[in-house]
Amino acid sequence: MSPSAQRIDVHQHVVPDFYRDELAKAGIADAGGRTLPGWSPESALRLMDLLGTSTAIVSVSTPGTGFLTEPADAAGLARRLNDHSAALVRDHPGRFGFFATVPMPDADASATEAARALDELRADGVTLLANNRGTYLGVDGQDGLWRTLNERGAVVFVHPAELPAPPVDGIPAFAADFLLDTTRAAYLLVRNGIPRRYPDIRFILSHAGGFVPYSSHRMALTIANDTARSPLDVLDDFRSFYFDTALSSSPAVLPTLLAFARPGHVLFGSDWPFAPASAGQYFAGGLDTNADPATLTAINRTNAEALFPRLAAAPPTPPPVLPAPVRLRHAMQRPAARLVFKLLQPGTD
């Protein structure tokens, strides 16, 4: 068994056919500048087997249900997506969990659906987009949702959306804007005291938190000056977040993230299928190459087990016995991916 086996992936997406159809009706064919990828349970499991992933906690990516302007339509689609994800978990015991979709920016309807998904469907948490039609997490009017989540000690997976501003020609949203979007949401959550007022919510920030680790001290001093709080307290709030490694386990990002994040607060993420298998292999190889064995084990599995106790209560799902040609192909692909990762690192001159 390789050191990367039995990963728990907290950043993997589902794109059910009925959801793709609803997006198509609204004229939406991409998300964040990437064409909507194909998805099926079978293709997800193949990717998981390639990366050594035991369990994936899946979510719906941007635009969520926010493209529907009728509140009832958005709430109905969120409900349908959550029922679909719950069925996926039931059909593949041990391989999947899910973060529930809620119909933001309607905070009251989102609280209702969050309660249903967590209490009845046994969702592992809730997905919240950093902004929904320009309304960011952390602004006024969301306390009912925060109370609902806090009462349940919920995990909230914060995923970026397209910025509420015209795109810049030549810059796909996923390449840069997504990082800013996550950072904006994290800033407002901390600026407006959400982690302090609702301490039982555990927030996961996608893609290593966007720019949060890199710009944390700059943002902390700004918030402290604005609110008369201690910069150390503000930094502590930023460090209360969890972070995933999706597209982020490079030699430039990973050391910064590990230097900033609290112990136990970094989790493995792939961002499949929006990040193709080659990208997943590239960054998984970077994690395997650049993290020491104890850190690698923690990021791959034990940090997630602490956050999601149900995953620790049962032994990891044994990897399937794959046909010999598939095993051989995987055995060749993994070292090849690590070699590509090393070759693409900048030199020291």
Side-chain angles (χ1 to χ4, degrees):
M1 183 178 295
S2 74
S4 61
Q6 306 301 310
R7 300 188 208 261
I8 296 172
D9 186 350
V10 304
H11 189 153
Q12 191 180 126
H13 296 300
V14 291
V15 191
D17 287 341
F18 69 85
Y19 181 61
R20 184 189 305 274
D21 292 343
E22 290 294 328
L23 292 173
K25 290 177 187 176
I28 299 171
D30 65 75
R34 295 192 68 90
T35 300
L36 289 172
W39 176 87
S40 68
E42 294 74 23
S43 60
L45 290 168
R46 285 195 296 271
L47 181 280
M48 292 162 64
D49 295 339
L50 176 63
L51 297 187
T53 299
S54 166
T55 303
I57 303 179
V58 299
S59 56
V60 173
S61 186
T62 183
T65 65
F67 66 97
L68 296 171
T69 56
E70 286 294 327
D73 293 341
L77 180 57
R79 188 181 184 94
R80 190 177 178 190
L81 286 165
N82 293 332
D83 290 343
H84 175 275
S85 294
L88 177 70
V89 175
R90 289 194 302 271
D91 291 344
H92 301 276
R95 299 310 305 271
F96 292 105
F98 80 102
F99 293 121
T101 299
V102 294
M104 290 290 276
D106 186 333
D108 291 337
S110 293
T112 298
E113 181 57 21
R116 184 187 81 94
L118 294 166
D119 297 347
E120 299 177 20
L121 302 182
R122 314 311 299 171
D124 291 290
V126 170
T127 304
L128 294 179
L129 297 181
N131 90 85
N132 295 266
R133 301 205 302 268
T135 298
Y136 272 90
L137 300 182
V139 301
D140 291 342
Q142 298 171 351
D143 287 284
L145 174 60
W146 301 134
R147 282 193 298 270
T148 296
L149 297 172
N150 193 69
E151 289 166 359
R152 290 161 174 79
V155 176
V156 170
F157 178 62
V158 178
H159 192 279
E162 297 194 29
L163 294 176
V168 176
D169 188 39
I171 304 179
F174 74 88
D177 294 355
F178 271 15
L179 303 176
L180 175 58
D181 200 48
T182 300
T183 305
R184 284 177 166 183
Y187 187 100
L188 285 173
L189 288 168
V190 171
R191 162 66 177 76
N192 293 332
I194 304 305
R196 297 238 162 192
R197 288 159 50 201
Y198 303 99
D200 292 331
I201 301 174
R202 281 77 52 80
F203 291 94
I204 303 172
L205 302 183
S206 301
H207 308 119
F211 304 129
V212 168
Y214 178 83
S215 58
S216 55
H217 287 251
R218 177 174 180 158
M219 295 192 297
L221 290 173
T222 304
I223 291 173
N225 183 66
D226 190 26
T227 63
R229 294 171 56 196
S230 161
L232 291 177
D233 287 346
V234 177
L235 276 172
D236 195 50
D237 288 351
F238 278 117
R239 295 185 71 234
S240 74
F241 294 127
Y242 290 76
F243 305 85
D244 76 45
T245 64
L247 305 179
S248 302
S249 48
S250 70
V253 177
L254 190 60
T256 302
L257 176 60
L258 294 175
F260 176 74
R262 285 181 182 169
H265 279 226
V266 180
L267 312 163
F268 177 78
S270 69
D271 206 1
W272 188 87
F274 288 91
S278 57
Q281 286 185 283
Y282 178 84
F283 285 102
L287 179 62
D288 292 342
T289 300
N290 290 297
D292 63 73
T295 300
L296 182 61
T297 298
I299 293 173
N300 278 337
R301 186 165 191 93
T302 56
N303 291 347
E305 287 181 327
L307 193 58
F308 304 100
R310 76 169 184 86
L311 299 179
T317 302
V321 178
L322 301 174
V326 177
R327 294 201 304 272
L328 178 61
R329 185 167 67 248
H330 287 184
M332 297 174 63
Q333 286 176 316
R334 288 173 184 135
R338 287 193 287 270
L339 177 60
V340 170
F341 184 88
K342 291 179 180 179
L343 291 175
L344 288 179
Q345 303 315 309
T348 57
D349 55 344

